[in-house]
Amino acid sequence: MCTRRNPTVTRIDALVHKAREIADSAGIQMSPHEIDILEFATEWAPYGGNDEEAYVRFGLTTREFHTRLIRLLGSPAARALGNSTIAKLRDQCIDRLSRPS
């Protein structure tokens, strides 16, 4: 039986792999946790994010998660995600961070 991977998941895997390569070539240390945050955010971006799952998966409040994500989006490694993905994620972060706690 042949199983096919979802093309969106394959694209996200490729982008995250490229982000790791850029970070490595620039001598930037990205922890596996930071890479997981970028991957998770990119997966959920088309759906507007998933704050509840972010808490379960990373143990971070909505504010903590989006604060870390917006910092990661400014890193050279995030460039591999592409301008439109970065803009979408940054907009989601700004929206979440502007909401009252």
Side-chain angles (χ1 to χ4, degrees):
M1 178 165 96
C2 178
T3 59
R4 295 183 65 185
R5 289 193 71 184
N6 180 328
T8 302
V9 172
T10 302
R11 181 179 168 274
I12 291 167
D13 288 347
L15 291 173
V16 171
H17 179 75
K18 183 70 174 167
R20 284 185 191 137
E21 287 178 350
I22 291 170
D24 290 346
S25 67
I28 299 166
Q29 292 294 325
M30 286 187 76
S31 72
H33 186 70
E34 291 172 324
I35 292 167
D36 287 346
I37 288 173
L38 278 178
E39 183 175 23
F40 176 86
T42 305
E43 276 179 38
W44 282 99
Y47 312 104
N50 188 336
D51 294 339
E52 294 80 18
E53 184 63 25
Y55 180 76
V56 170
R57 191 158 168 190
F58 302 107
L60 300 171
T61 65
T62 297
R63 181 162 293 287
E64 292 168 332
F65 177 80
H66 291 287
T67 299
R68 287 191 190 186
L69 177 57
I70 209 161
R71 182 182 54 80
L72 290 171
L73 292 173
S75 72
R79 290 186 206 133
L81 301 177
N83 291 337
S84 63
T85 301
I86 291 170
K88 183 176 206 141
L89 290 171
R90 188 169 280 130
D91 288 346
Q92 286 177 5
C93 288
I94 291 168
D95 175 60
R96 296 307 196 292
L97 292 171
S98 66
R99 294 179 186 175
S101 298

